Amino acid sequence: MLNRAIIMGRLTDNPELRHTNSNIPVTTFTLAVERNFRSGDDRVTDFLDVVAWRSTAEFVSKYFSKGQMACVEGSIQVRSYNDREGNKRRAWEIVADQVYFAEGRRDGAQKNTESAAPVINN
């Protein structure tokens, strides 16, 4: 069997790093992903929830922010739960194995290439 998902879109909010009771890092975020077809003159956008664990969660929360384009590679997970009113619900989400930058640096984040060389002290 195969359960593999690759999506690319923009973060709808800043990811927030949390820790489980066992001190395992986790972050959740949502990607706005445009479909390949249009509905009239408008593009249809899906908002897909993503969860990242451990070092991937730390990486995402440190380097990604709202509006940034990201590519996520992972698997689809379905969770069942009861809401506050006792109704049975299902949540679909992507469990991220890898998260990649999907665009170049923004203007304000350009590094000075002249100072990129390492300094060696003897």
Side-chain angles (χ1 to χ4, degrees):
M1 291 189 270
L2 180 64
N3 180 353
R4 206 77 195 134
I6 300 172
I7 60 173
M8 186 169 68
R10 295 199 179 276
L11 276 78
T12 62
D13 208 348
N14 292 328
E16 183 178 323
L17 185 66
R18 300 180 320 275
H19 289 81
T20 66
N21 292 337
S22 305
N23 204 32
I24 297 172
V26 60
T27 188
T28 55
F29 56 97
T30 301
L31 286 185
V33 180
E34 290 184 349
R35 294 187 188 178
N36 288 333
F37 64 89
R38 295 180 184 268
S39 176
D41 291 334
D42 298 325
R43 281 228 170 211
V44 177
T45 302
D46 293 307
F47 295 89
L48 304 175
D49 294 328
V50 180
V51 62
W53 294 90
R54 297 175 177 77
S55 60
T56 304
E58 292 171 334
F59 173 76
V60 169
S61 66
K62 185 174 181 179
Y63 294 107
F64 286 87
S65 59
K66 180 179 180 177
Q68 193 168 4
M69 183 76 75
C71 181
V72 174
E73 182 179 351
S75 58
I76 299 170
Q77 170 179 286
V78 181
R79 292 184 293 113
S80 295
Y81 65 96
N82 292 323
D83 66 13
R84 292 183 177 141
E85 288 80 36
N87 299 316
K88 189 169 184 158
R89 302 282 183 187
R90 290 173 39 158
W92 298 72
E93 58 196 8
I94 307 294
V95 179
D97 294 329
Q98 298 288 327
V99 179
Y100 305 97
F101 296 105
E103 65 185 350
R105 291 182 177 266
R106 294 184 180 191
D107 293 338
Q110 292 292 335
K111 279 189 174 180
N112 182 353
T113 56
E114 294 175 356
S115 64
V119 176
I120 301 172
N121 293 324
N122 290 330

